[in-house]
Amino acid sequence: MITDVIIKEKKVSEKLNGFTVEEVGDDHLYTGVETPMKKDAFILSDEDKKDKISKLFAEIMDVMGLDLTDDSLKGTPKRVAKMYIDEIFSGLNPTNKPKPALFDNKYQYNQMLVEKNITFYSNCEHHFVPIIGKAHVAYISSGKVIGLSKLNRIVQYYAKRPQVQERLTNQIAEELKTILDTEDVAVIIDAKHLYVSSRGIKDDTSSTVTSYFGGKFTNQEKITELQNTLNY
């Protein structure tokens, strides 16, 4: 049994280029653009998942020494389960993916469109503590335009899952490129990670900025135009 654990840990270490699991968590690394999901992730219904999470979270609370018979705590496991499935991690379920509302670009507006300061709440996949920030998205129409609220919904959908900021940035960009059928997409995210401010280094002043520039947005002049727009 001990040998099996050692072998497993060695394989994990090799898979992560020599980094231990702890180092990966603290150094904010991630393994790909796609959210890591099991193949059978959706065999259980949402209600079955909530029931199972509730029981497991009750065990966690019990191990921590909390009194689950207390009136204030007895409903916590079910509340947490409902919150996980229906709210903060609802973006894991593809049935919750927003349906894009596309329209012909009858205005013949061929400049960049920017939706800035989209507030989002996500959770770090390494520690399951909040990431709070703002997303700025921009695109240049290739003949279609998208309803403005859908830009917000796309950001929220990908934020509502265990995340790392780099992946979140790329997932939003790739989704917009696919929907709008254009490479001319830009995404900038400025976020605060509570695992940095509340534990470890405990830095409460720093924030993390990530960006994606595609198509015409790879031109420095267009990047400067976007930055000037965001600074208005």
Side-chain angles (χ1 to χ4, degrees):
M1 179 66 74
I2 295 176
T3 302
D4 291 342
V5 171
I6 293 173
I7 292 173
K8 184 176 181 180
E9 288 181 347
K10 185 174 185 295
K11 288 181 178 178
V12 169
S13 180
E14 289 173 350
K15 181 179 179 181
L16 299 174
N17 297 319
F19 289 99
T20 66
V21 172
E22 289 76 15
E23 288 171 329
V24 168
D26 287 338
D27 288 340
H28 200 64
L29 301 180
Y30 73 110
T31 54
V33 175
E34 297 298 322
T35 301
M37 299 288 289
K38 300 193 308 178
K39 292 181 179 179
D40 61 352
F42 302 106
I43 289 180
L44 292 177
S45 69
D46 281 357
E47 291 307 311
D48 287 338
K49 287 181 179 180
K50 281 186 269 190
D51 182 62
K52 195 166 186 178
I53 290 171
S54 176
K55 292 174 181 174
L56 292 170
F57 200 80
E59 286 189 34
I60 291 173
M61 293 176 68
D62 181 66
V63 169
M64 291 172 65
L66 295 169
D67 181 5
L68 283 164
T69 66
D70 184 89
D71 288 342
S72 179
L73 297 179
K74 64 174 61 175
T76 298
K78 287 185 178 180
R79 285 191 290 266
V80 169
K82 185 177 186 300
M83 177 181 68
Y84 275 12
I85 298 301
D86 293 343
E87 298 176 54
I88 64 175
F89 297 131
S90 61
L92 289 173
N93 192 334
T95 62
N96 294 324
K97 189 174 184 178
K99 295 179 176 59
L102 292 178
F103 308 94
D104 290 331
N105 186 10
K106 294 181 180 180
Y107 306 111
Q108 294 300 303
Y109 182 75
N110 299 314
Q111 302 302 311
M112 67 179 183
L113 182 146
V114 183
E115 184 83 356
K116 66 179 184 177
N117 295 326
I118 302 172
T119 301
F120 71 86
Y121 299 86
S122 189
N123 278 266
C124 166
E125 70 179 35
H126 300 138
H127 300 96
F128 273 50
V129 292
I131 301 171
I132 303 170
K134 293 183 183 296
H136 315 290
V137 300
Y139 73 93
I140 300 172
S141 174
S142 64
K144 297 288 184 180
V145 295
I146 190 172
L148 292 180
S149 67
K150 291 299 186 290
L151 296 174
N152 297 64
R153 293 184 187 280
I154 288 168
V155 171
Q156 302 299 343
Y157 172 70
Y158 285 104
K160 289 182 178 180
R161 54 178 69 180
Q163 274 289 14
V164 292
Q165 189 171 324
E166 297 91 333
R167 181 192 294 127
L168 175 60
T169 305
N170 286 334
Q171 286 180 335
I172 294 169
E174 292 299 328
E175 182 69 13
L176 290 174
K177 285 165 56 178
T178 299
I179 291 172
L180 294 165
D181 191 25
T182 180
E183 293 291 321
D184 303 331
V185 166
V187 178
I188 300 174
I189 291 179
D190 186 348
K192 197 174 191 65
H193 295 248
L194 265 65
Y195 83 85
V196 172
S197 59
S198 65
R199 61 169 300 279
I201 194 65
K202 295 183 180 178
D203 180 357
D204 192 44
T205 58
S206 64
S207 65
T208 302
V209 178
T210 50
S211 60
Y212 177 99
F213 299 113
K216 293 178 181 177
F217 285 101
T218 58
N219 180 285
Q220 185 57 52
E221 183 177 338
K222 187 61 68 175
I223 293 174
T224 301
E225 180 185 353
L226 174 59
Q227 290 172 335
N228 289 338
T229 300
L230 295 178
N231 290 330
Y232 278 164

